[in-house]
Every structure is written in C-alpha cells, then in structure tokens.
Amino acid sequence: MENKRTFKQKLSDNWLAIVPYAMLIIIVAVMGILNTNTLKASYIANKCDNSFSLVLAAVGQTFVLLTGGFDLSVGGVICITNCLAAVHMQDSAGSILLWSVICIIIGIAIGMFNGFVIEKTKLQPFIATLATQSVCMGLALLILKVDGGKVPRSYMKALTKRFGDLPLSAILLVIMILLWLYFKNTKTGMNIYAIGSNKKSARLNGIPVLRTMVTAYALSGCFAALAGLYRTAVVASGSPTAGGDFVMSSISAAVIGGTALAGGSGGIIGSIIGAFILRYITDLLVFMKVSSYWSSLVQGVLLILAVALSAYGNTLKKRKEGVG
Amino acid sequence: MTAKETLKRNASILLTFIIAFALLAFVSVMKPGYANTANLKMISISIAMLGFTAIGQTFPILTGGMDLSVPWVFCIGAYLCAMLTGGEPAKMIYAVPVVLLAGLVMGALNGFGIAYVGIAPVIMTMASNIIFQGLLVGFTNGTPGGKIPDGMKNLATGGVGAVGWMFLIWVVMSVLTWVILSKTSYGRKIYAIGNSMTCSLYSGINVKLVKMSTYMICGMMAALGGLLYSGRVTQLYLGMGSNYQMESVSAVAIGGISLMGGSGSYIGTMAGCFVIVILDGLLTAMSFSQGVQKVIYGIVLFLAVLLSSRRTGRTE
C-alpha cells in the first residue's frame, strides 16, 4: 500500500522525466508509419552509429551543465581530435592506440584547464570556454587546413563493427549508462550535483569545489575527444570545422533530455535520449517531405516546446512545494 | 564621488581603450600605410556595425541574460529592407519603421519565452535563432534577393575624413544608451534585476516586463544593424550576421559587464567593440593563417575578459 502511494507520488513529481522518452517513442513510431524500413534493425543500427558522436558530446556536456556551467569548447576539442586522428593515425594497432590515447589526453587537459580557470578566476564559463573554443579551432586549422586526411580502414571497421545487427556503439552506450548509474552515487558524482544546486552551501559543507569542477570539465573534454575520435571513424575523414555544430546541439540534447541549465538536476541518460531525438528529427522531416529550408524552423520550435514544458513543470513543482 | 574615485572606478574601461589603441598603433608600425584615411574609415564603420548589436546585447546581459538570436534577426532586418524598398530610396520612409518593428516583435518573442514562460535565456534565444533562420530561408527559398537603395550604400560606406557616418550614428546612439542605462529609472531597474531578481520583485519592479523589454531592445538593435549593414554589401547573403552572435557577447564581456548581470558600464562595451574590431583587422593585416588568427583571438579574448572582470570584482 505504502509502496504504491510512493510510486504514484514519484510519478506525479517526475512526470517531466518521462517526456523525452515519450517524445522519442512518438518520433520513432511516426517514422515507422511513414516508412516501415526505419523500424528495421539495420536502419536503427546505422542511426545508432551516426548519432553516437553527438551522444558522446552531449554526455560530456551534461557533467558541466550539472555544475551549473557551460562548455562551448566541446566543439573545439572535437575539431582537434578529429583532425589529429585523420592526419596522424597509421594503419597499425600501435599507432591507432597511441593516437587515440593522445587525443583523449588532449581532451582531458583542455577540460581541466577550463575547469581550473573558471573556478580560480571566477570567469563566466560561457566566455572562458568561448575563448578556449577559439584557440582549439585555430589549432585544428593548423593541424589540417581543409577537410581531408586519411583514416585507417581497420580503425573505421573496428569502431563501426556489427555483431549480427548489434552495433558496437550500442554496446558502448549500455556500458556508458551502467557506468553512469554507478558514478552518480559516488562521492564525485554527488559533489557535482551538490555544486550545481548550490555552490555556496556545497563549499561550506566542505565539498572540494575546485577538484570537482576540474573533474566535471575534464570529463566533458574527455567525452568530446571520444566524440571526435568516433566521428573520425564514421565520417572517414577529418575536418577543422567539424565540431562547430556540436556545441549548440550538445547543449540542446542535454536540455531536451531534462538537464537544467541552472545545474543540479538531470543526468546523462536524458541527454542520450535528447541526442537521439535531435538526430531522428532530421530524418523525420525528410520522410515527412518537409523542405530542408524549413527544417531548422521545426527544430527550433521543438526545442522551445521541450524546454517550455520543463520550465512549466518546474513552476508547478515550485508552487506545490510552496503550498505544501 | 570624487574625481579620483571616478577615475579609479573607470580605470578598467580606460585600460581597455588603451589596449585597443595600442593594438592599432602596433599594426600601423608593423604595416606602414595601414592607418590611412580610407582604412581607418573602414575600421570605424566596422566598429559601428558591431556596436549596434553590442548596444542591444548590453541590455539583456545586464539583467543576467543573453541574446544569441542576434545573427538571424540581423539577417531578417537586412532582407526586409531590401525586399520592402526594392531599391527605391523613397520607400525607406516605411521600410525603416517596419524593420524596427520586426526586430521588436522578434525580441518580444524571446522576452516572452524567457520572462513569462521561464525558459533559460541561452536556450530560448538559441532556439529562436534557428527559428528565424528557418523563417528567412524558408520564405526566400534560400536565396534572399532584393535591392538596396543607393542612398543606403552612401550612408553605409561614406563619411567625413577617417570617420564613417555609421560611426557617428553609433556614437549618438551610444550616448543615448548610456543616458538610458545610468540616468533613468528604467536603467536602474535593469541593473537591479541583474543584481537580485528577488529584491527587485519585492521592490515593486515589474521584473517580467522589464526583462522582456531588454530583449525587445536587443532585437530592435540587431534588426537596425542588419538594415544599416545591407548598404555595405553588394549582394545580400545568408549568414551575414553570424559573426555578431559571439562577438557582441564578447564585446560586452571585454567591456567589463559581468555575464551574471547587474554590474559594469555601457562605456566598457564601446571599448570592447574597439578591441575586437581592431584586433580582427590586425590579425588580417599581419596575414596570419586562419588557424593562428583564431588562436590569438581566443587568447586575447580570454586575457581581456580576465583583466576587466578582475577590476570589476575589486570595485565591488
């Protein structure tokens, strides 16, 4: 009896959390009706591969958003790692491994720098990461002037591998979610949420704010580097401007997935759903024969609706808490 | 406030201006002949163009918000001007008010979503930016046409000596902006909201309305910027305003206005515009590769903001 009530209460408190899932299901269903091929395993596997870079970027972005910050340098890190991998990777296991590790280290280093500077100098994350983003994109241009480069075949094959119809990216996705479920309840995970809800009281409660901030931004940089590496395998070339699109879409994905920009609430599972929603929507518009000229309009409206809904939900919640 | 105090308070802004002119001096020494009249006029016009969007951007940022929809409002402003006039100067009489009105309406949409619905400014304006993009691209099928009256071209590219007409217009509007922000009750309300929304609310300020109005001003200024910019280009193109999205925010931040809102002066924004445009010109004049340009730009942006935010912190 008591359990039932708490479940019902939980549902009425968290109905917002279901919205992104419902949205994704509706989009997939509508697409299935318009074109039954989209429900086939091979199509979904392809979609999973194509969305995975954005998923990684959005996951990284989420850690920073949870602290109440922003990471615009995600795009820059993707550019750098994409270019490095496309230019330097040779077709041997050693070289592939070496450059993957170098890219990840670069991502983490840039992230740590962001986190450290933002916490130490009290610069606004928006402007600090905007500067890092510019520097990173410039460096990417120095590594590779125009789109191109050569990506080793074995690298591409390894990352887009299929086990039957099951793509490697789906397996990684599941592993990532499991890791997150563990991470969420670790000390660092809790500290990230605490800082996002109220930095001052987090500090007063003895939470190591600097260390946690550096960790959050480093995670963002690390995931951005992974996104860049994965993009290299999927697109099979490097581009010094590849990351530009990822900045706003990674934030959008996280926000659609229910992560609050103010920090302190949300999580990466929502961001993963959000990333898939964004990627599926573009396809849906094609299947609905919406002219590509209008597609950005639809995406914008969708984003506003998703966010307005969660803003409305928060107001309701506040009102409820205020009364009760 | 004594004169000394005033100077101390505005030392940061003064320093930002000094940095801007030092950069200009540097490039004219490195590249003899760079600082000729024609080139200086070009720079002054570019400063004004960034300046129009930065005036707008100052208002929402002072309330603790931000407007990322500047680029496509800018573009729509330019396109509306070309479409409505069709190259006939006489039609400017109603084209200008319509463009300004369109900017106000687009800003009102942003402001409504942010102030009344409660959407985070960054997300709201980012989304509306792509909505405006969709509207413009959709209605024009991707090829904005239309003709700009010749008078606009003279206004946008002409001037007296080394100073463009646009620069003079910008200075006049800047004085107006400064007066509004620091001498009127409306301006004080904007600062109050940026400092503490709750306090402002309990002091009887109509927080939602004032917040919405700041986005309306920003939209209007972006549309005006687009309208004036249209005279500078021979052919309208999509993405005319793209640079102004981050540059307008950077100009405000370099000028020492906190992105949290509530502190800083508009004069700083003016200095920020100088720094960004002169730095841009310098990097191009020194014929650095695009990559090096971006790296240096990022580093300077970082240092400039660091410098000005430090000083703001100390005066508080």
Side-chain angles (χ1 to χ4, degrees):
Chain A
M1 181 76 183
E2 209 180 330
N3 267 335
K4 233 179 188 172
R5 230 184 67 200
T6 44
F7 176 72
K8 220 175 168 184
Q9 252 176 1
K10 251 187 176 171
L11 192 72
S12 78
D13 280 349
N14 296 319
W15 61 272
L16 266 173
I18 304 167
V19 170
Y21 299 91
M23 228 153 93
L24 184 61
I25 290 170
I26 291 170
I27 292 169
V28 172
V30 172
M31 272 174 70
I33 293 166
L34 289 172
N35 188 340
T36 41
N37 282 336
T38 59
L39 294 177
K40 281 187 181 153
S42 61
Y43 178 87
I44 295 175
N46 266 332
K47 206 72 215 147
C48 194
D49 275 351
N50 291 333
S51 313
F52 199 55
S53 299
L54 179 60
V55 166
L56 287 169
V59 165
Q61 186 72 255
T62 309
F63 290 108
V64 171
L65 292 179
L66 283 177
T67 67
F70 257 113
D71 193 353
L72 300 186
S73 71
V74 161
V77 174
I78 290 176
C79 290
I80 289 191
T81 50
N82 186 204
C83 290
L84 271 181
V87 170
H88 292 292
M89 231 179 230
Q90 301 299 322
D91 205 348
S92 72
S95 163
I96 288 174
L97 204 65
L98 175 73
W99 283 101
S100 300
V101 171
I102 291 177
C103 285
I104 292 171
I105 290 176
I106 289 175
I108 293 176
I110 294 170
M112 286 176 80
F113 174 80
N114 281 333
F116 184 79
V117 161
I118 289 166
E119 190 44 39
K120 272 288 169 198
T121 64
K122 307 284 177 236
L123 269 190
Q124 277 297 296
F126 191 93
I127 210 82
T129 55
L130 179 65
T132 335
Q133 148 106 324
S134 179
V135 172
C136 289
M137 286 194 162
L139 289 175
L141 275 167
L142 293 180
I143 297 166
L144 188 65
K145 268 209 180 68
V146 286
D147 293 14
K150 230 178 109 191
V151 181
R153 271 200 96 72
S154 53
Y155 176 71
M156 281 155 52
K157 270 201 177 140
L159 282 185
T160 53
K161 195 171 169 52
R162 297 283 155 82
F163 304 93
D165 268 328
L166 188 69
L168 177 71
S169 51
I171 298 171
L172 293 175
L173 200 67
V174 173
I175 295 175
M176 214 156 67
I177 291 175
L178 292 176
L179 282 177
W180 162 252
L181 291 177
Y182 166 75
F183 176 80
K184 205 166 74 165
N185 295 318
T186 60
K187 221 172 176 180
T188 319
M190 303 263 222
N191 287 351
I192 288 178
Y193 276 95
I195 288 175
S197 333
N198 192 334
K199 206 171 190 176
K200 207 169 169 187
S201 58
R203 197 189 307 276
L204 292 175
N205 275 304
I207 288 174
V209 174
L210 178 66
R211 203 168 69 200
T212 312
M213 290 286 278
V214 170
T215 312
Y217 280 89
L219 279 168
S220 173
C222 174
F223 275 98
L226 291 172
L229 284 170
Y230 196 81
R231 184 194 184 273
T232 318
V234 170
V235 183
S237 79
S239 161
T241 51
D245 294 338
F246 282 91
V247 183
M248 288 307 172
S249 23
S250 65
I251 297 174
S252 307
V255 170
I256 288 179
T259 298
L261 281 188
S265 74
I268 71 160
I269 299 176
S271 308
I272 294 171
I273 301 292
F276 276 109
I277 289 176
L278 283 180
R279 283 293 189 251
Y280 260 105
I281 278 284
T282 10
D283 277 19
L284 179 66
L285 293 177
V286 174
F287 287 131
M288 287 174 78
K289 302 207 168 55
V290 175
S291 139
S292 64
Y293 295 135
W294 292 101
S295 73
S296 67
L297 176 87
V298 179
Q299 286 181 24
V301 170
L302 182 96
L303 183 57
I304 289 187
L305 283 181
V307 187
L309 202 63
S310 77
Y312 174 70
N314 282 337
T315 332
L316 280 188
K317 215 174 184 179
K318 254 185 218 158
R319 210 171 285 165
K320 221 185 211 169
E321 278 163 7
V323 172
Chain B
M1 198 159 39
T2 64
K4 207 174 167 188
E5 246 176 75
T6 316
L7 187 71
K8 211 173 167 187
R9 226 180 209 201
N10 296 315
S12 65
I13 295 168
L14 203 63
L15 194 67
T16 313
F17 273 117
I18 291 172
I19 291 173
F21 287 108
L23 287 173
L24 189 60
F26 174 74
V27 67
S28 26
V29 170
M30 296 299 285
K31 292 262 162 186
Y34 177 80
N36 57 24
T37 322
N39 216 352
L40 286 178
K41 192 167 78 182
M42 273 283 288
I43 292 175
S44 77
I45 293 169
S46 297
I47 291 173
M49 288 316 311
L50 174 58
F52 292 123
T53 55
I55 288 179
Q57 193 69 263
T58 304
F59 284 81
I61 289 187
L62 276 175
T63 66
M66 190 180 290
D67 189 348
L68 298 181
S69 70
V70 165
W72 288 97
V73 175
F74 189 93
C75 237
I76 288 178
Y79 172 70
L80 271 181
C81 171
M83 193 190 73
L84 290 171
T85 60
E88 288 174 46
K91 291 187 177 167
M92 287 299 282
I93 295 171
Y94 69 85
V96 175
V98 169
V99 168
L100 295 183
L101 192 69
L104 278 176
V105 171
M106 287 184 277
L109 176 76
N110 282 332
F112 181 80
I114 292 162
Y116 289 91
V117 185
I119 301 174
V122 173
I123 291 292
M124 179 67 206
T125 54
M126 185 171 92
S128 68
N129 192 35
I130 54 178
I131 289 179
F132 299 149
Q133 176 188 6
L135 278 177
L136 183 60
V137 178
F139 274 121
T140 61
N141 284 330
T143 46
K147 260 190 81 177
I148 300 296
D150 289 333
M152 277 299 294
K153 279 178 192 153
N154 298 336
L155 180 71
T157 52
V160 277
V163 179
W165 296 125
M166 299 282 243
F167 189 78
L168 296 177
I169 298 176
W170 177 58
V171 170
V172 172
M173 295 190 78
S174 290
V175 172
L176 203 67
T177 307
W178 180 77
V179 170
I180 289 173
L181 282 176
S182 50
K183 302 289 171 203
T184 66
S185 73
Y186 174 69
R188 299 327 295 174
K189 282 176 189 165
I190 290 176
Y191 276 92
I193 290 173
N195 270 316
S196 170
M197 200 111 74
T198 320
C199 285
S200 313
L201 192 66
Y202 290 149
S203 316
I205 296 174
N206 191 340
V207 172
K208 288 177 179 174
L209 190 67
V210 173
K211 257 177 133 179
M212 181 161 122
S213 71
T214 61
Y215 290 92
M216 292 170 75
I217 292 173
C218 190
M220 188 185 76
M221 287 309 299
L224 177 72
L227 179 139
L228 294 172
Y229 189 83
S230 65
R232 267 191 106 182
V233 288
T234 44
Q235 180 75 47
L236 295 186
Y237 58 96
L238 296 169
M240 277 185 296
S242 305
N243 287 340
Y244 295 111
Q245 185 179 42
M246 289 307 172
E247 281 188 3
S248 60
V249 177
S250 307
V252 175
I254 289 177
I257 293 181
S258 159
L259 292 192
M260 304 282 281
S263 76
S265 153
Y266 169 70
I267 310 293
T269 303
M270 294 180 78
C273 293
F274 273 84
V275 168
I276 288 180
V277 172
I278 291 173
L279 177 68
D280 238 15
L282 179 145
L283 292 173
T284 319
M286 303 293 285
S287 46
F288 287 128
S289 78
Q290 217 193 337
V292 178
Q293 283 191 25
K294 286 201 168 184
V295 172
I296 298 180
Y297 184 86
I299 294 173
V300 173
L301 172 66
F302 179 75
L303 293 177
V305 177
L306 192 62
L307 214 64
S308 56
S309 65
R310 270 266 162 99
R311 274 173 273 111
T312 326
R314 207 178 296 150
T315 45
E316 264 166 11

